Amino acid sequence: MGYYHSPVQSEIDESHADCDSISLLLVIDQLGKIKYCSTSSETLLNMDNSKLIGKPIREHIHQEDLYLVENLVEQPTNSASFLVRLKTADGFLCGKANIVSVGSSANINEREWLFTFSQVPGWSPTNNKLYREKGYTRYESNALGDKPLIENYAHDLIEKLPNGVLIIVDGKVEYINWTGCQLLGIHNRMQIIEKDVYRFIDPKFHDIVEHRLTSVARGKNVGLMEQQWIRADGSLIDFDVMSTPTMFRGKIASFVVLVNIAHRKNFQNILQKSRERFRTLIQNTIDTIGIICEEKWVFINESGLKMLEANSYGEIIGKSIFHNIAENHFKDIWKRTVNSSKHEKKHPLFEQAWTTFQDKKLYTEMVAIPTTYLGKKALQIIVRDISERKKAEELMVQSEKLSVAGQLAAGIAHEIRNPLTAIKGFFKLIESGNYHTSDYYQIINGELNRIELICSELLLLAKPQAVQFRTVSISALLKDVTLLLETQAIINDVWFEFDFQIEKDYVKADGNQLKQVFINIIKNGIEAMENGGTLSVRTAVQNGFLSILISDEGPGISEKVLSKLGEPFFTTKENGTGLGLMISFNIIKNLNGSIEIENKKDKKGTTFNIQLPLEGYN
């Protein structure tokens, strides 16, 4: 509490300016004992300094002023000024005190305080002229005759405090400041003076208040406590209540400070309602929301409980997540999110497989957000079950395969008819008996192998296959696909041009899926060149990725159409489904690759740039 400049204090200061004052210097340790006292104690207090050194400062302070010094010594305050009464050989002396911390500010147990005291000029037990003129009553040396604190020079200070102040003796209110009256809706102090304090406190707090008043009466300080008091109109008001022991008219009393916390409580209620709404939102959302810390579940919502087929929260909370997600997958997600740059605003989207507690496989989309839990790094996840969508996508993939197979049927029939014609001719020659050369058998065998290869490729395209990731050669796949599409290319007057710049072009993928991607893109390129042309297929290495560039010489793609490519059911073809490119984009995405489409700048045409992680690239 700082030094308040009251009207009386102003006159004191003016008088002080006209006369010399003597100061007393004390050093107080962390236990409140006087370590040093200046010799001016003989002049001011009529006491030898040896009688003060080693004694507690509280023994030399007027009882009603003790709370001022004790609060400052016990709290981590650096400095303060206030008016206080010091004990003299024959009474008490009023003066201005300054207390300054000179020890460690970090550790209160190592602190010391420098206490200076200057006499108020014009005041002494035998000279009270100054206070009579201002209507204030001086302090008598007889403790039983002391007037209340509120009737002396600190009256204005306490009356104008922003907090309510009460003095309670034996459970009755002996004093309340004007702020306290306003807080309690009282217009006349006599409505509360000499009344039982329990009349103004909510009954549910009576027991604890009684205990606190008893503790204060025994000289103990009690901590801060929230209480509800009753206003004059019957409404309740929330206070932070602090009580300290003091003396009032010779009796032990409680000095009570009321701090209005109504605004804080309103804010807390708003915050609590907001938390309840947020909790309701979290619990009722259809997506799974969970928090993982130290590789264990520490929170999961109701939807997560259902998704993972758990019977209760106890089955999940505190348990390892590795029953539900592969360890290497989780560590990769953790590395890419928790240990990623804090400046990244967009959180990556993962397609992740989970295992329920009933050992059922789920396919999900997941967003992972780094957070903390009890001061430790944690991961908040939002998971959406896309198992049904995955099944639908698989059906669409199969439908697109059948569609492509149907569209290739005419070309395949023509491709097979050519070798069949040759085979039939050679058999006729052999059957006639005039020609028996082994060269015929080799040609027939070669044509049969060609038919078998074409049929196998068509079956692989149309027949449902389990996804199997193996090391495959991109150049070999591209050659197989172009062989399959060769007849369609010839019909459309299109020629293939190859430029494989890398020898070991191996990637980890499902060969059948990649063939489907290449068929979709190369077939689109062939159809785009209505007047024929060259379709070039090149491979190269770019930043550790294998780049497959498929370029046609068609009219190009407009920016409007280019922005929609890959969307389901979007197509510019009269009989198209719009699923081919969408499926191709998803296949490449699942391989951690990408597809970029751009129109050529130097001449007509479009280039598809397919990038895939190159196996073994260092």
Side-chain angles (χ1 to χ4, degrees):
M1 181 170 70
Y3 173 57
Y4 178 76
H5 214 71
S6 69
V8 175
Q9 186 60 42
S10 298
E11 187 162 348
I12 289 173
D13 290 343
E14 290 171 6
S15 175
H16 179 62
D18 297 331
C19 62
D20 295 332
S21 63
I22 301 173
S23 296
L24 176 69
L25 178 65
L26 303 173
V27 176
I28 304 170
D29 65 15
Q30 71 273 13
L31 299 177
K33 291 186 178 181
I34 301 170
K35 293 181 63 177
Y36 169 81
C37 176
S38 63
T39 55
S40 56
S41 62
E42 296 181 7
T43 305
L44 279 175
L45 308 179
N46 197 21
M47 296 175 66
D48 188 271
N49 62 352
S50 62
K51 293 183 179 180
L52 283 83
I53 294 173
K55 300 293 178 64
I57 184 67
R58 64 180 292 118
E59 293 182 4
H60 300 277
I61 303 291
H62 194 284
Q63 284 183 324
E64 292 182 9
D65 298 342
L66 275 176
Y67 76 96
L68 293 169
V69 179
E70 288 180 343
N71 284 346
L72 289 166
V73 171
E74 291 176 2
Q75 300 297 325
T77 307
N78 291 323
S79 63
S81 300
F82 49 90
L83 292 172
V84 70
R85 288 163 289 172
L86 284 185
K87 187 176 182 180
T88 67
D90 54 358
F92 290 90
L93 181 66
C94 179
K96 177 182 176 181
N98 289 285
I99 186 166
V100 180
S101 172
V102 294
S104 168
S105 60
N107 188 348
I108 194 171
N109 294 323
E110 299 177 3
R111 298 177 71 181
E112 292 182 348
W113 286 266
L114 183 65
F115 183 100
T116 57
F117 175 85
S118 300
Q119 178 184 0
V120 173
W123 189 93
S124 71
T126 58
N127 181 4
N128 59 2
K129 177 175 178 292
L130 176 63
Y131 285 86
R132 286 201 196 101
E133 288 176 355
K134 286 291 177 182
Y136 289 82
T137 304
R138 67 180 177 85
Y139 286 95
E140 301 291 348
S141 60
N142 183 352
L144 295 178
D146 283 349
K147 300 297 181 182
L149 176 64
I150 45 84
E151 292 179 351
N152 66 29
Y153 54 85
H155 178 274
D156 283 353
L157 170 62
I158 294 178
E159 282 295 308
K160 295 178 180 178
L161 279 175
N163 302 321
V165 174
L166 294 86
I167 294 178
I168 299 172
V169 179
D170 295 332
K172 295 184 181 298
V173 179
E174 296 295 335
Y175 166 75
I176 183 171
N177 69 346
W178 181 237
T179 304
C181 291
Q182 290 177 312
L183 290 173
L184 293 175
I186 295 170
H187 302 291
N188 187 331
R189 294 182 207 255
M190 298 314 296
Q191 291 178 250
I192 188 170
I193 297 297
E194 297 294 335
K195 301 293 192 303
D196 195 329
V197 71
Y198 296 103
R199 291 174 54 182
F200 304 93
I201 301 175
D202 191 298
K204 63 176 174 282
F205 294 98
H206 284 184
D207 289 342
I208 188 66
V209 169
E210 182 180 5
H211 176 73
R212 286 164 66 86
L213 289 176
T214 302
S215 298
V216 171
R218 294 173 181 170
K220 296 180 181 179
N221 287 321
V222 293
L224 200 66
M225 179 187 177
E226 284 189 16
Q227 295 175 14
Q228 283 188 317
W229 287 48
I230 305 170
R231 303 181 82 247
D233 61 2
S235 62
L236 296 176
I237 183 170
D238 294 287
F239 289 124
D240 268 344
V241 182
M242 181 177 67
S243 303
T244 56
T246 187
M247 295 294 293
F248 185 83
R249 292 177 179 169
K251 294 183 179 180
I252 297 175
S254 292
F255 186 86
V256 179
V257 178
L258 305 178
V259 181
N260 184 8
I261 59 170
H263 291 297
R264 190 180 82 194
K265 294 295 287 187
N266 287 338
F267 177 75
Q268 287 176 345
N269 290 335
I270 293 170
L271 188 62
Q272 181 62 28
K273 289 178 182 177
S274 176
R275 285 174 177 166
E276 289 172 1
R277 284 195 297 268
F278 180 70
R279 182 176 291 276
T280 301
L281 178 66
I282 292 293
Q283 288 295 351
N284 294 331
T285 183
I286 61 173
D287 294 330
T288 292
I289 297 177
I291 297 177
I292 301 166
C293 181
E294 294 183 337
E295 300 173 351
K296 294 179 181 178
W297 293 103
V298 294
F299 170 80
I300 194 166
N301 66 348
E302 189 73 24
S303 297
L305 205 68
K306 294 176 182 176
M307 187 189 83
L308 295 177
E309 297 182 315
N311 297 319
S312 65
Y313 286 104
E315 196 173 338
I316 296 180
I317 302 302
K319 302 298 174 33
S320 171
I321 63 160
F322 296 141
H323 180 83
N324 308 112
I325 185 173
E327 184 173 352
N328 60 324
H329 289 180
F330 175 75
K331 288 184 176 178
D332 179 59
I333 293 168
W334 181 275
K335 183 179 178 181
R336 292 176 60 185
T337 52
V338 174
N339 297 327
S340 63
S341 171
K342 295 180 180 179
H343 302 293
E344 292 182 11
K345 294 182 180 179
K346 188 176 180 181
H347 302 293
L349 181 68
F350 300 94
E351 285 199 7
Q352 179 59 49
W354 293 80
T355 304
T356 71
F357 287 95
Q358 306 301 324
D359 291 326
K360 176 183 173 184
K361 288 289 182 183
L362 298 175
Y363 294 96
T364 68
E365 276 183 348
M366 181 179 78
V367 174
I369 306 166
T371 184
T372 58
Y373 180 80
L374 300 179
K376 299 174 183 177
K377 284 185 177 181
L379 198 66
Q380 178 183 336
I381 59 170
I382 303 171
V383 184
R384 178 168 293 178
D385 186 356
I386 59 169
S387 298
E388 294 300 320
R389 193 176 85 189
K390 275 288 185 184
K391 290 178 182 177
E393 284 180 0
E394 287 174 6
L395 290 173
M396 283 194 294
V397 169
Q398 184 60 24
S399 174
E400 180 64 13
K401 283 182 177 182
L402 293 173
S403 175
V404 171
Q407 292 174 30
L408 291 174
I412 296 298
H414 181 75
E415 188 70 21
I416 293 175
R417 190 181 290 118
N418 286 338
L420 282 176
T421 301
I423 292 169
K424 283 177 69 176
F426 285 118
F427 266 116
K428 290 254 183 212
L429 288 173
I430 295 170
E431 188 180 19
S432 66
N434 296 323
Y435 300 92
H436 295 280
T437 173
S438 60
D439 292 339
Y440 294 165
Y441 295 108
Q442 291 178 1
I443 294 171
I444 292 170
N445 188 56
E447 294 300 319
L448 288 172
N449 287 336
R450 180 173 172 80
I451 292 171
E452 183 182 16
L453 177 61
I454 292 170
C455 291
S456 298
E457 292 297 326
L458 189 60
L459 283 172
L460 285 174
L461 181 64
K463 184 180 177 182
Q465 300 280 334
V467 176
Q468 294 182 343
F469 286 86
R470 295 192 178 114
T471 300
V472 294
S473 169
I474 293 298
S475 57
L477 290 179
L478 287 168
K479 287 175 181 177
D480 288 344
V481 169
T482 52
L483 175 64
L484 196 62
L485 296 170
E486 187 176 20
T487 301
Q488 186 175 352
I490 292 171
I491 292 171
N492 287 273
D493 197 21
V494 173
W495 305 95
F496 293 122
E497 182 180 270
F498 300 101
D499 181 14
F500 299 140
Q501 297 179 12
I502 176 170
E503 206 172 297
K504 296 181 179 180
D505 54 358
Y506 299 115
V507 298
K508 200 80 170 179
D510 182 280
N512 292 328
Q513 285 190 338
L514 281 182
K515 281 182 182 180
Q516 185 175 0
V517 173
F518 297 147
I519 286 172
N520 281 326
I521 295 173
I522 293 174
K523 183 170 165 293
N524 285 343
I526 293 171
E527 293 172 353
M529 293 185 281
E530 295 179 356
N531 300 318
T534 302
L535 191 142
S536 67
V537 181
R538 296 182 292 119
T539 60
V541 177
Q542 295 179 355
N543 301 322
F545 281 78
L546 176 64
S547 186
I548 304 117
L549 298 111
I550 302 172
S551 303
D552 62 57
E553 294 178 349
I557 304 173
S558 69
E559 292 298 325
K560 184 178 179 181
V561 172
L562 196 63
S563 63
K564 292 185 178 181
L565 287 181
E567 292 182 7
F569 307 109
F570 174 78
T571 179
T572 58
K573 299 176 185 178
E574 188 175 341
N575 298 318
T577 63
L579 298 175
L581 282 180
M582 186 208 77
I583 292 168
S584 299
F585 273 69
N586 283 342
I587 289 171
I588 298 301
K589 180 185 174 184
N590 291 336
L591 295 174
N592 295 320
S594 64
I595 298 180
E596 296 176 0
I597 310 169
E598 60 180 13
N599 291 314
K600 295 180 183 177
K601 295 180 180 179
D602 55 342
K603 54 182 178 178
K604 290 183 178 180
T606 305
T607 298
F608 280 74
N609 185 357
I610 306 166
Q611 292 193 324
L612 293 170
L614 189 59
E615 189 176 59
Y617 182 83
N618 191 359

